[in-house]
C-alpha cells in the first residue's frame, strides 16, 4: 500500500430537480477520500510506525480535519437542471450542497 496518488479527472456533474425554479445557487462541497479526512494515508506516509510520537499524532489528527471548500456560484437552468465541473480521483466521495442565493 501507499504507492502513488490516484490521478485526478475532470468530471461533469449534472442533476435535475423537478421542483427547482431558475435561480442563482451557491454550491459548496465536502470531500473525503485519499488524503482527505484520511488519517490512514498520513500514517502510511509516516512509514507505518509501531509507536507514534506526539508530532506524528498531531499530523494524523490534522489529516482528519476539514479543509475549507470554495463555494461555486451557479444557476439552475429553466428546465430545473444544474451543471458543475468537479475534479475527482478514484474513490473520492463528494457531498454537494446547493443553496439558493437570497
Amino acid at each position: 500500500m501507499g504507492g502513488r496518488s490516484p490521478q485526478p479527472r475532470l468530471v461533469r456533474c449534472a442533476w435535475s430537480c423537478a421542483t427547482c425554479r431558475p435561480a442563482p445557487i451557491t454550491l459548496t462541497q465536502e470531500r473525503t477520500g485519499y488524503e482527505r479526512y484520511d488519517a490512514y494515508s498520513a500514517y502510511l506516509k509516516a512509514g507505518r510506525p509501531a509507536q507514534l510520537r506526539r508530532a506524528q499524532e498531531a499530523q494524523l489528527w490534522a489529516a482528519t480535519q476539514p479543509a475549507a471548500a470554495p463555494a461555486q456560484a451557479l444557476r439552475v437552468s429553466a428546465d430545473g437542471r444544474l451543471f458543475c465541473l468537479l475534479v475527482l480521483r478514484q474513490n473520492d466521495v463528494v457531498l454537494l450542497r446547493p443553496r439558493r442565493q437570497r
Side-chain angles (χ1 to χ4, degrees):
M1 286 227 107
R4 300 177 312 170
S5 173
Q7 294 299 310
R9 297 184 322 177
L10 187 63
V11 176
R12 184 171 187 225
C13 177
W15 70 88
S16 297
C17 176
T19 60
C20 292
R21 289 174 278 155
I25 296 288
T26 299
L27 185 71
T28 57
Q29 305 173 26
E30 294 182 28
R31 295 171 167 259
T32 186
Y34 181 76
E35 295 182 338
R36 292 187 178 112
Y37 296 115
D38 185 10
Y40 189 65
S41 296
Y43 172 74
L44 293 176
K45 284 185 174 185
R48 299 170 57 189
Q51 186 68 37
L52 295 173
R53 296 186 314 270
R54 293 254 186 234
Q56 290 172 317
E57 285 180 22
Q59 287 175 334
L60 294 181
W61 181 84
T64 65
Q65 300 309 300
Q72 295 180 23
L74 302 172
R75 184 160 186 83
V76 175
S77 65
D79 60 359
R81 291 193 289 173
L82 185 62
F83 297 95
C84 65
L85 294 174
L86 302 173
V87 176
L88 298 174
R89 296 179 293 187
Q90 182 178 347
N91 298 326
D92 276 354
V93 176
V94 180
L95 172 64
L96 300 175
R97 292 181 185 230
R99 298 203 193 280
R100 186 177 306 275
Q101 295 178 2
R102 296 178 191 229

